Amino acid sequence: MDFYGINPAVLIASLMVASVPIMLAAIGELVVEKAGVLNLGVEGMMIMGAICGFITAVHSGSPLLGFLGGAAGGAVLSLVFILLTQVFLANQVATGLALTLFGLGLSSLLGQGYNGIKPPPTGVLPLGPLADIPFFGRVLFTHDWMVYGSIAVVAAVWAVLKYTRAGLILRAVGESHDAAHALGYKVVRIRVLAILFGGAMAGLGGAYVSLVRVPQWTDGITAGAGWIALAIVVFASWRPWRVLVGAYLFGGISVLQLNLQASNAFPIRIPVEYLAMSPYLITIIVLVIMSSGRGRASLNAPAALGQNFHASR
Amino acid sequence: MLILEKRPTPSRFWAWGTPFLAVILTMIAGGLMFAILGKDPFEAIRTIFWDPLFNAQFAAYSRPQLLVKAGPLILIAIGLSLGFRAGIWNIGAEGQYIMGAVCGAGVGLALYPLEAWFIFPLMVIAGAIGGLIWAMIPAILKTQFRTNEILVSLLLVYVAENILASMSLGLLRNPEGGGFPGSRNLGQYPSAANHELIAGTGMHWGVVAAFIAVIAAYILLQRHILGFQIKLAGQAPRAARFAGVSPNKLVILCMGISGALAGLAGLFEVAGPAGQISIDFNSGYGFTAIIVAFLGRLNPIGILLAGLLMALTYIGGELAQFMLGLPSAAIQAFQGMLLFFLLAVDLLSNYRIRFPLLMKEAR
């Protein structure tokens, strides 16, 4: 069952793998934004996660430790964001950009000497006979544990935000930090935890890029995935399950364009560069659709998004 | 513990003092980073900040380079600062820089090998228009559909990078280049080249344009109604609306100006120091200019000085790479650090820091 040399089962299976990094980064950023903080440093935290995870995995020989190292790398970089925006009350937009610029430089510095090395392979989770089911077995049950882990994270974030007291407090802080403060909640502490979670998730996503998706280290390996993750949060209108849909949509586009680069499907060959730019272009188009007209996603944004909180007022 | 107390008005002293404090703190933190990398921190700092200017052996080469590097940074940062002041975040200057270079060089290459006086001015116009159009995409999407300009302008950088790659492999590739990617060298095409104006100074048309931009921005902000509107929109958006300032008009104007200036910077770079369109032509000036704009406190004169300082870190960084084997990425991290410290110490101009415990003891 092939279409122009593209097998749909393989396509969907690789789409699920391709969407893991942006899904993780986006669900982390969703929590951060729900707490009323706009962290534009996702790209920087992702690439720090990519290099920290890569280095840990190469030296320990364990992909699991690699992913933990990646999450730690992203979280440590997010500490800088916490210090600047929560303690020094710096502008969140500028600090996020600084985080990305710094992360790109530092990751390239740390990554010196790691070019061309292969990380330890992350194995497929053995699911026994499930993988033998025709079509669905190939699509759903031939993945590494991170693919299922990322979906579990989305489910967990959804459940926590919707059904728990902690989720309610987090959303309250994001909607009106002054009201939450008046009720006695520790606004800064809650935001710090949210930012750390976002950093760890972005780092985890970055580690997935360098350990599974590309399995190698090159400078700038995340190639804008962090910015796409930020766009997916807007696309998702700050709703967790839509993050999953968005990530699959963009994972699908990036896999499809890679497949088209390899296949001779069309009578007119589209140059590789135009295919390579398509995920970014489609992200922009989706942003436009979501931001305009009836589907105005921005109406759903947390009310205190991007505003700093200072208790003495 | 320390307590922050909001100042009734921002401190004038710290408004000017913070950039200097940030530079000193960055030197200390950067020195630590260099020490971790196994280099003598004092030697590294001296190589970056002192030797390019005053070392007899290198200064003759380095000093002209200062203007060559500072030119595009200042030009782009001036444009960005207007938008930043009004709360319009054009983060995609890198893409506008690339598109300016592609469009400008495209005009020059299309006219090759014609020799005429009008070719270079035509390229300059094409470069500005290229950057302008690229910046109009996020601007129009913002005004028409309320799309976030930060994300759109940034995503367009990746699109522009792919267009650049496609151009240097396809349409603009040098037909006599033996199949290698990259265009003809504009430096060897007299009517299109952006040569040094005064030999040995590094001064080319891009640097002249940067100085003009500084003066124009200064006058605009101090004397012109548009400058007043930009400042008002940034400080009090509601008041600006009541005063009849159209936010949409400001978005289009600020994005347009910054896009055109970034495009100009790209054109001057491709016709001068870089010489040709190639896959890795862009060198991050568009992103570094963001740091320059903030370091200069969004003030034209400040940006002029900040641009020169940032250019110094580039040149000193190259020198340190050559002399001490310091990795080039260390300089990028160093520049990122500078922005961190700047944002952190900015606190001092808006807040007073009190130490209640210490004061109690003093009593």
Side-chain angles (χ1 to χ4, degrees), chain A residues 84 87-89 93-95 97-99 101-102 105 108-109 112 224 227 230 273-274 276-277 288 291-292 296 310, chain B residues 4 89 91 141 145-147 151 154-155 158-159 162-163 166 169 287 294 327 329-330 333 339-340 343 347 351:
Chain A
L84 260 64
V87 180
F88 291 127
L89 305 172
V93 171
T95 310
L97 292 169
L99 211 61
L101 293 173
F102 180 68
S108 148
L109 190 62
Q112 300 231 324
W227 300 111
L230 278 162
E273 295 78 29
Y274 291 94
M277 75 174 73
V288 170
S291 314
S292 66
R296 276 267 293 288
H310 184 229
Chain B
L4 298 179
W89 298 90
I91 309 298
L141 293 183
F145 303 108
R146 302 181 181 212
T147 313
L151 288 175
L154 242 156
L155 289 165
Y158 296 92
V159 177
N162 277 302
I163 290 178
S166 143
L169 291 166
F287 291 122
F294 280 111
L339 187 48
F340 280 144
L343 293 166
L347 177 84
Y351 291 88

Side-chain angles (χ1 to χ4, degrees), chain B residues 14-19 81 85 291-300 302-303 306 342 345-346 349-350:
Chain B
W14 280 117
W16 284 100
T18 45
S81 70
R85 269 182 180 246
I291 305 178
V292 172
F294 280 111
L295 186 61
R297 298 213 61 100
L298 308 182
N299 172 306
I303 287 171
L342 195 70
V345 296
D346 225 15
S349 48
N350 287 316

Side-chain angles (χ1 to χ4, degrees), chain B residues 100-133:
Chain B
V102 167
C103 292
V107 167
L109 292 166
L111 293 169
Y112 181 88
L114 178 75
E115 294 287 353
W117 64 268
F118 58 80
I119 293 178
F120 189 67
L122 211 59
M123 287 166 64
V124 172
I125 294 166
I129 291 175
L132 179 88
I133 290 174

Side-chain angles (χ1 to χ4, degrees), chain B residues 172-227:
Chain B
L172 297 182
R173 181 160 70 181
N174 183 358
E176 291 150 29
F180 283 102
S183 73
R184 279 179 205 283
N185 195 327
L186 289 164
Q188 289 155 14
Y189 175 20
S191 293
N194 173 24
H195 280 307
E196 246 183 1
L197 296 173
I198 307 164
T201 57
M203 175 81 99
H204 60 66
W205 282 112
V207 180
V208 176
F211 286 133
I212 295 171
V214 169
I215 297 165
Y218 185 82
I219 296 170
L220 178 77
L221 288 170
Q222 297 296 329
R223 296 269 175 271
H224 197 274
I225 182 76
L226 178 63

